[in-house]
Every structure is written in C-alpha cells, then in structure tokens.
Amino acid sequence: MSAKDRREQLLAVSRQLFAEKGFDGTSIEEIAVRAQVSKPVVYEHFGGKEGVYAVVVDREVQALTTALTDALTAGGHPRALLERTALALLTYIESNEDGFRVLVRDSPVAQATGTFSSLIGDVAMQVEHLLGDQFRKQGLNPKFSPIYAQMLVGMVALTGQHWLDSRRFKKDEVAAHLVNLAWNGLSGMERAPALAPKD
C-alpha cells in the first residue's frame, strides 16, 4: 500500500471510530488495530490522535461548507434558497453519516474554527445578509436579521441531528416540513413583535 493510500485508510478508520466512540473514547491503539498496522505507523502519518482528528474534522467541515455555500449562493427566490439549503444539509448527513456524527460532537481540540458550532455560525452569517435584504423589501427592521439567521440555521441543524438518529421520514419530507415552518413563519412576521402582556 502506498503512503497516500495508507493515509486515506487511516483517515477512514479514524473517522468511523470517532463517529462511534468520540474523541476521548478512541485511542491510537484502536485505530492501529482496526487498520491492521502498528501504532508507530499512525504516529508517522499524523503525529498523534489530535493530528488525525484535526484532519478528519477539517475534511468534514470543508465538505459541508461547500455543500451549504453552493446552496446559498445559487441565487433565486428566498424560498428556493431555503429549500436548497435544507436539502444540502440533509443530503450531506445522508451520505456522510460518520462525518456528521464527528462534527456534531464537542471538539476536544482547542481551536477557534472547525467545530460544528463555528460552521453553523459561518452559515448563519451568510443567511443574515440574505435575510437583511428580504427584511428591507418587506418593511421589516434589518437590524434583527442576525438573530433570525441564527434561528433558521439552528432549526435546520438541530432537525438534521434528530433526523440522523431517527430516519423516520424521507429526506424530502423533512426538508419540506422545515421549509413549511420557516417560510410560512417568515411570511407572516409582524413588524414589531412583542410578548403578550402579563396578567
């Protein structure tokens, strides 16, 4: 096996173990045993567990970021953007189940970027600009678009996590219901929402 092929094999094995057991529950020894190599081979390629974990997370973040960015930047009606983005996340989950499980765990590696929450924050910033434009067109105050962006992106992300475990409904059904709640909620927004007065 070439060095490149061995590295890819170790990454595939590590990704699966991190998805199954998390960072703390996975050891270099387990990675080596499952890959049928010695521990020094793993150290030679990645320097340690933190190194292999960082590469796995980086690859997953890149794959998901690309999918979501493509959906958000394709243009079109805001509802179409919402549909594409919801489907992009659910499609990523469907085809990268282990990778998504790795991403949604709290990252044990001290880093400012690369965690699922920072990725979701990046997506929310893109959505914020799109919402700001729509808010202005509808006579709504665009200063609130950042919190609406967080709400929308958080709703889609948490629904994706739930769907990963339950798989009770088809991907298109889940996306349609997400869009139904988000779009119909957005289309009926009040200009100056307030909580009901307390008795």
Side-chain angles (χ1 to χ4, degrees), residues 20-184:
E20 290 171 11
K21 300 181 172 196
F23 179 83
D24 291 332
T26 301
S27 68
I28 288 291
E29 185 174 355
E30 285 177 291
I31 294 169
V33 166
R34 196 170 285 187
Q36 299 180 336
V37 298
S38 64
K39 287 196 300 186
V41 171
V42 182
Y43 286 113
E44 178 185 324
H45 282 275
F46 300 102
K49 185 168 73 166
E50 291 81 4
V52 70
Y53 182 83
V55 173
V56 167
V57 168
D58 186 58
R59 283 185 172 193
E60 295 306 321
V61 166
Q62 188 60 47
L64 183 52
T65 299
T66 299
L68 295 175
T69 300
D70 289 349
L72 285 167
T73 57
H77 191 274
R79 182 178 172 130
L81 289 175
L82 183 58
E83 288 177 1
R84 280 197 309 268
T85 304
L87 273 172
L89 176 66
L90 295 173
T91 299
Y92 168 82
I93 292 169
E94 186 176 57
S95 57
N96 299 284
E97 193 171 308
D98 283 346
F100 188 71
R101 287 189 190 282
V102 171
L103 285 181
V104 296
R105 295 179 186 274
D106 289 336
S107 174
V109 180
Q111 53 192 20
T113 61
T115 63
F116 187 63
S117 60
S118 70
L119 172 63
I120 291 304
D122 291 345
V123 172
M125 282 178 28
Q126 291 183 51
V127 171
E128 176 185 327
H129 296 297
L130 297 168
L131 282 179
D133 292 341
Q134 289 304 310
F135 276 31
R136 279 185 279 281
K137 287 178 185 174
Q138 295 180 26
L140 301 168
N141 190 339
K143 81 174 187 179
F144 293 106
S145 63
I147 61 171
Y148 281 94
Q150 291 290 334
M151 289 180 227
L152 277 172
V153 172
M155 178 179 73
V156 173
L158 287 173
T159 302
Q161 285 180 265
H162 173 74
W163 182 68
L164 172 64
D165 294 325
S166 73
R167 297 293 174 98
R168 187 171 163 202
F169 302 103
K170 294 178 183 171
K171 175 179 66 177
D172 288 356
E173 290 176 319
V174 175
H177 284 276
L178 270 168
V179 172
N180 183 38
L181 176 60
W183 184 254
N184 289 319

